[in-house]
Amino acid sequence: EIVLTQSPATLSLSPGERATLSCRASQSVNTSLAWYQQKPGQAPRLLIYDVSDRATGIPARFSGSGSGTDFTLTINSLESEDFSIYYCQQRSSWPPLFTFGPGTRVDLK
Amino acid sequence: QVQLQESGPGLVKPSETLSLTCTVSSGPFKNYYWSWIRQPPGKGLEWIGFIYYSGTTNYNPSLKSRLTMSVDPSKKQFSLRLRSVTAADTAIYYCARVKVATIHFDHWGQGTRVIVSS
């Protein structure tokens, strides 16, 4: 089973700053990595899939990068609505098994 | 607009069976892995398993021994049954979909809270 770790656990930033979130896989996931944003009381929302493709309606300030085992979600110029929890997620090729990272909380400094 | 809606009891007694159904409104039903994901209070996300429209399933190994999923394509519904529940199964349960040959959950239900308590 592939394990995802995320760092840092919490990131304290101010509006306008850049957020850099890391996700590391215990073995290569190639490009099978997605990112989600979750706000309190809401279901997660897909942000990024296939490492770097933005989902429909996601602002350009969100970007993803990486390959193999190390991935990054970058949020340029944080806006007030971006203070949330972010999860990475991978899928193994076959059989399809899905795992999530433990999450990174981005909160207001 | 694709919508997924979970339904089922919000309270289940320990050792009993948790049963939930997800209804999909609009959009195709084939070519998707219809999944369940849960989130214990204050914790992260755990994938439970998926079912394909044909009935093929794949479950999280950690839950496999207690889990059964079923599907009714004519009603665009799929269901989850988790046996022998304990307090550790208390969580928000989400249904979600993944298009076959992709890796990501693109649509989610709003979630339903299930508490396991006597």
Side-chain angles (χ1 to χ4, degrees), chain A residues 31-36 46-51 53-56 89-91 98 100, chain B residues 32-33 35 37 96-108:
Chain A
T31 58
S32 297
L33 193 100
W35 291 92
Y36 301 82
L46 176 68
L47 295 176
I48 301 284
Y49 62 94
D50 294 348
V51 176
D53 291 337
R54 274 190 303 278
T56 302
Q89 171 253 314
Q90 69 85 31
R91 169 196 154 166
F98 300 82
F100 291 89
Chain B
Y32 287 92
Y33 295 131
S35 293
I37 295 158
R97 75 172 197 181
V98 176
K99 191 171 185 180
V100 171
T102 69
I103 68 108
H104 53 277
F105 301 94
D106 63 352
H107 281 85
W108 297 63

Side-chain angles (χ1 to χ4, degrees), chain B residues 18-101:
Chain B
L18 182 161
S19 297
L20 297 173
T21 294
C22 182
T23 302
V24 181
S25 60
S26 77
F29 199 72
K30 291 184 179 180
N31 295 322
Y32 287 92
Y33 295 131
W34 299 100
S35 293
W36 290 97
I37 295 158
R38 69 180 182 178
Q39 186 170 35
K43 295 188 177 181
L45 301 164
E46 179 183 33
W47 174 72
I48 297 171
F50 73 73
I51 189 164
Y52 193 50
Y53 81 99
S54 62
T56 299
T57 57
N58 201 33
Y59 301 150
N60 186 322
S62 69
L63 297 169
K64 188 173 184 176
S65 63
R66 299 193 289 134
L67 193 56
T68 302
M69 292 186 184
S70 58
V71 64
D72 186 342
S74 68
K75 295 182 179 178
K76 286 191 172 181
Q77 290 181 335
F78 60 104
S79 298
L80 160 76
R81 287 174 55 85
L82 184 65
R83 296 176 291 279
S84 304
V85 296
T86 69
D89 295 309
T90 292
I92 296 175
Y93 285 75
Y94 297 99
C95 56
R97 75 172 197 181
V98 176
K99 191 171 185 180
V100 171

Side-chain angles (χ1 to χ4, degrees), chain A residues 89-104:
Chain A
Q89 171 253 314
Q90 69 85 31
R91 169 196 154 166
S92 58
S93 55
W94 195 263
L97 296 174
F98 300 82
T99 54
F100 291 89
T104 290

